[in-house]
Amino acid sequence: MTFDELKATAERCTSCSLSQRRTHVVFGEGNIHSPLVLVGEGPGDNEDKLGRPFVGRAGKLLDQAIEEAGLTRAQIYITNTVKCRAADWSSGKPVNRPPTDEETLACRQWLVPQLGLIQPKVILCIGAPSAKNLIRKNFKITQERGKYFPCEYAKTAIATLHPSYILRAMNMGGDGGYSLLVQDIAKAHEAAVRLSTPKVGATGQELAGAPDLPVC
Ligand code: URA
Ligand code: SF4
C-alpha cells in the first residue's frame, strides 16, 4: 500500500468507538521523507475540526518550540497515537481525555504501517501516551524524557513533555518545562541528522557520535 492509500483507508476507519463522534480522522502531515517523526497523543477539538495535527493552543506552543530548536514544521512529519479525538462526553460537552489502551491498540493498525513507510531515524514521542505506546508500557515521562531508547519503528526514540502539560504547568508559574521541550526537539533532530549522514566506513558507534545514542 502506498502512503496515500494508507491515509485514504484510515480516513474511513470505524475500528474503535472514537469514530462515532469525530469530524475528521487526523492522519498526520508534513514531510514523509523526514528522518524525524513527532508522535503526539491524539487530536483535540481544533484538530478534529480542521483535520490537522497540533493546530490548537498546544500546537502553537509546539510550533514555537520547533522553531526555537532550529527547525520548521514543514521539514518534519507530525502525527498522533490515535487519529480520532478522544473525549469524555458524559457531561454533555466534550472534555478531552487520553486514549484508552483499547483505542491505542486499535489505532496501531495505522500508526505502525505509517511509521513503516516513513522509516524515520528518530521518533520523538510527545507526551506519556505516545511513549507508552512506542517505547515501553510503563514509561515514566518525567524521569525518562530526553533520553534515547531502542524502538521497533526507528533507530531510536526519545520522549518529551506534552505542550498541553506545559501550558497547565505554566499557569503555576515558571516555564512549565518549555525549555525541556525545546531541548528534546533539538536533541532528537541532531540524532536524526547524525543517523542519516553516514560516514563511509564508519562503525556503528562512530556513526552514533554520542555514547548514549543506541544504534539498532
Ligand atoms: N495534542 C496532541 O497530542 N495532538 C494533537 O494533534 C493536538 C494536541
Ligand atoms: Fe480508527 Fe484510530 Fe479512529 Fe479508532 S481512533 S476509529 S482506530 S482511526
Side-chain angles (χ1 to χ4, degrees):
M1 226 196 256
T2 66
F3 198 82
D4 287 345
E5 284 164 354
L6 184 73
K7 180 169 187 274
T9 313
E11 282 166 353
R12 296 189 296 270
C13 178
T14 54
S15 296
C16 84
S17 58
L18 297 185
S19 63
Q20 289 165 17
R21 300 226 189 216
R22 74 169 179 236
T23 313
H24 285 104
V25 171
V26 182
F27 188 69
E29 68 178 24
N31 175 11
I32 64 163
H33 304 294
S34 173
L36 172 63
V37 171
L38 271 50
V39 181
E41 177 174 325
D45 183 22
N46 294 288
E47 291 78 17
D48 174 65
K49 284 199 175 89
L50 296 173
R52 298 180 53 210
F54 284 105
V55 289
R57 267 189 82 212
K60 294 281 168 288
L61 192 69
L62 181 64
D63 286 349
Q64 193 186 317
I66 288 170
E67 288 198 12
E68 254 181 77
L71 286 164
T72 65
R73 203 174 144 131
Q75 250 179 287
I76 58 179
Y77 193 83
I78 305 183
T79 188
N80 281 303
T81 301
V82 291
K83 314 302 193 199
C84 303
R85 183 189 188 188
D88 176 5
W89 293 77
S90 62
S91 71
K93 64 170 197 195
V95 178
N96 290 345
R97 60 161 175 81
T100 63
D101 287 350
E102 199 185 355
E103 291 156 356
T104 300
L105 181 64
C107 217
R108 282 175 65 96
Q109 71 181 302
W110 309 118
L111 181 61
V112 170
Q114 185 176 31
L115 294 171
L117 287 166
I118 300 174
Q119 290 197 273
K121 301 289 184 205
V122 180
I123 295 172
L124 178 64
C125 298
I126 311 281
S130 173
K132 287 175 192 285
N133 187 25
L134 295 175
I135 301 177
R136 198 180 70 243
K137 185 95 196 69
N138 61 351
F139 194 88
K140 296 272 176 289
I141 193 83
T142 47
Q143 291 156 36
E144 297 184 300
R145 55 139 285 283
K147 298 187 175 125
Y148 297 116
F149 287 91
C151 176
E152 213 178 311
Y153 314 103
K155 297 272 181 204
T156 189
I158 310 179
T160 193
L161 303 175
H162 196 286
S164 301
Y165 165 89
I166 295 170
L167 285 169
R168 284 194 300 272
M170 275 174 171
N171 290 335
M172 327 262 266
D175 92 332
Y178 174 75
S179 58
L180 296 175
L181 175 63
V182 175
Q183 201 178 294
D184 295 342
I185 295 171
K187 180 169 176 169
H189 177 236
E190 276 164 30
V193 169
R194 235 179 311 131
L195 289 167
S196 13
T197 49
K199 282 187 274 167
V200 177
T203 65
Q205 208 45 50
E206 284 162 358
L207 275 178
D212 66 333
L213 175 58
V215 176
C216 315

